[in-house]
Amino acid sequence: MKYKPHEYQSYATEFILSHPISAVFLEMGLGKSVITLSAIFDLCLDSFLVCKVLVIAPLRVARDTWPAEIKKWDHLKGLSYSVAVGTEKERIDALKKQSTLYIINRENVDWLVHKSGIPFHFDMVVIDELSSFKSYGAKRFKSLLKVRPSVKRIVGLTGTPSSNGLMDLWAEFRILDLGQRLGRYISHYRNTYFKPDKRNAQIVFSYKPLPGAEEEIYKQISDITISMKSTDYLKMPEYVSNEVFVTLSDKEWKVYSEFKEEMVANLGDEEIDAVNAAVLSGKLLQMANGAVYDSGNKAHVIHEKKLDALEDLIEGANGKPVLVAYWYKHDLERIKDRFPVRQIQSSKDIEDWNDGKIPIAVIHPASAGHGLNLQSGGSTLIWFGLTWSLELYQQTNARLYRQGQKDTVIVHHIITKNTIDEDVLLALTKKEKTQDALIDAVKANLEVMR
């Protein structure tokens, strides 16, 4: 296929070419893969500034999306690549092949650096989903940081740079610029831009930005960062967000509220307990969805209000395909018992969905997060159960709400009234505002091209 880049795509490619260190915050659907591949082609096969490129991506994106993009575009012909996923032997064989571009899943970064026996002779690294390196304690972060000084060029790609707030940015930029902009140590970053928020005596549970900190952080990273929203550069479909509230009966509410107050509930012969607030949060989310696991991992059904609401929404779609996002395994089991659904898991599932062959599909946000193009198969998404993760929430919505979608995208949220569901929805909204502020602060100014 002939590549006819939008103006913003040409701008982003040129930004990568002109910045050895670049953070490219592209909202889902803007074509970050082809933008980056165009830059890689130029650097490797035109200007000869780079010899060997490593792309680190989520597993399914590494396996399917990047190879598909290279094959798709005519201007990338001649760019050789090797996909290092699968068994250890398959990964080693792939890494030993003579190629320009090597693609590996992020779970194997530590293996590549410390266990593969393959020298880390990559002079350019592309991190697809930079936000997956936000945890500075993770092995993948430490391993990549170890070899980072030998890398001449690095690109960080993501649409969700600060899904849990500005604290996420330190690790992401530590990998990119080795601490030049936000400091080499998390303690320095924290002390400079934040103050303790929630705490218990000397134990600090969370931090909040100091006055003016957000603006200062954006200023520090702005020279190597561009950000773009799809609504600014593409004609996007209409997006409708809808909340469908369900109400528990007195009996059901008693179980929920007692558990919330006492952190314990009796269900028949089994006692469900929550040993701390985090477990309590998970248990309450399960209850809001309709069932809860006991200590033996057996699910106890509390209500079917969300299933009834889901049935109404499916009927209201009038035969149009619907995609249902679930969180807990017992959610999936109960949905399967009620409806003829098919899970989106394999490449064949994706193909059949996009061909309109699946009337009701179910998907877990953790597997839907990155790189899946599902916009051809439907335009209705139903959140049966919510997640605290803004990144997974936004990325799942973007499977349908993206370039190429021809219909109005309707995202339904089934919310159990007066429960933790409402808190989660509010938290996602607040996090989204913080992230939007970041993106707006470093938004690309295309006027410089004109």
Side-chain angles (χ1 to χ4, degrees), residues 216-287:
E216 184 59 30
I217 290 169
Y218 303 153
K219 180 181 176 182
Q220 290 295 325
I221 65 176
S222 63
D223 63 316
I224 60 168
T225 306
I226 58 170
S227 65
M228 301 176 179
K229 291 184 179 179
S230 54
T231 50
D232 293 334
Y233 301 100
L234 296 175
K235 185 179 180 181
M236 295 293 287
E238 186 180 356
Y239 178 95
V240 177
S241 179
N242 180 45
E243 283 78 50
V244 178
F245 289 93
V246 300
T247 304
L248 300 180
S249 68
D250 290 343
K251 181 180 178 181
E252 294 157 354
W253 174 250
K254 184 180 180 182
V255 174
Y256 179 91
S257 58
E258 285 184 355
F259 187 83
K260 182 179 180 180
E261 293 299 323
E262 302 175 17
M263 299 182 76
V264 67
N266 289 300
L267 297 172
D269 297 329
E270 286 292 335
E271 186 177 83
I272 316 295
D273 61 71
V275 295
N276 55 47
V279 174
L280 175 64
S281 169
K283 295 292 187 185
L284 292 177
L285 279 171
Q286 291 181 50
M287 288 181 165

Side-chain angles (χ1 to χ4, degrees), residues 197-353:
D197 184 15
K198 296 178 181 177
R199 64 189 303 167
N200 182 4
Q202 299 302 312
I203 302 174
V204 179
F205 297 110
S206 64
Y207 292 82
K208 61 182 178 180
L210 290 166
E214 289 188 43
E215 293 77 11
E216 184 59 30
I217 290 169
Y218 303 153
K219 180 181 176 182
Q220 290 295 325
I221 65 176
S222 63
D223 63 316
I224 60 168
T225 306
I226 58 170
S227 65
M228 301 176 179
K229 291 184 179 179
S230 54
T231 50
D232 293 334
Y233 301 100
L234 296 175
K235 185 179 180 181
M236 295 293 287
E238 186 180 356
Y239 178 95
V240 177
S241 179
N242 180 45
E243 283 78 50
V244 178
F245 289 93
V246 300
T247 304
L248 300 180
S249 68
D250 290 343
K251 181 180 178 181
E252 294 157 354
W253 174 250
K254 184 180 180 182
V255 174
Y256 179 91
S257 58
E258 285 184 355
F259 187 83
K260 182 179 180 180
E261 293 299 323
E262 302 175 17
M263 299 182 76
V264 67
N266 289 300
L267 297 172
D269 297 329
E270 286 292 335
E271 186 177 83
I272 316 295
D273 61 71
V275 295
N276 55 47
V279 174
L280 175 64
S281 169
K283 295 292 187 185
L284 292 177
L285 279 171
Q286 291 181 50
M287 288 181 165
N289 289 356
V292 63
Y293 288 117
D294 61 24
S295 57
N297 210 33
K298 178 183 177 183
H300 296 261
V301 175
I302 296 173
H303 67 87
E304 296 191 350
K305 296 296 194 300
K306 285 199 174 186
L307 289 170
D308 295 339
L310 179 58
E311 184 171 340
D312 292 340
L313 290 170
I314 291 171
E315 288 181 3
N318 291 319
K320 289 179 64 177
V322 297
L323 183 65
V324 181
Y326 72 94
W327 191 252
Y328 296 102
K329 187 177 178 181
H330 60 59
D331 294 341
L332 175 62
E333 291 169 350
R334 289 180 297 119
I335 291 169
K336 280 184 171 181
D337 287 342
R338 178 81 74 98
F339 309 99
V341 301
R342 180 166 157 190
Q343 277 183 270
I344 300 293
Q345 293 179 303
S346 67
S347 299
K348 177 62 174 171
D349 296 330
I350 296 169
E351 180 183 339
D352 286 351
W353 165 263

Side-chain angles (χ1 to χ4, degrees), residues 41-58:
F41 188 96
D42 185 296
L43 291 166
C44 294
L45 302 180
D46 282 344
S47 59
F48 304 108
L49 294 173
V50 170
C51 296
K52 195 174 179 182
V53 182
L54 178 69
V55 173
I56 302 168

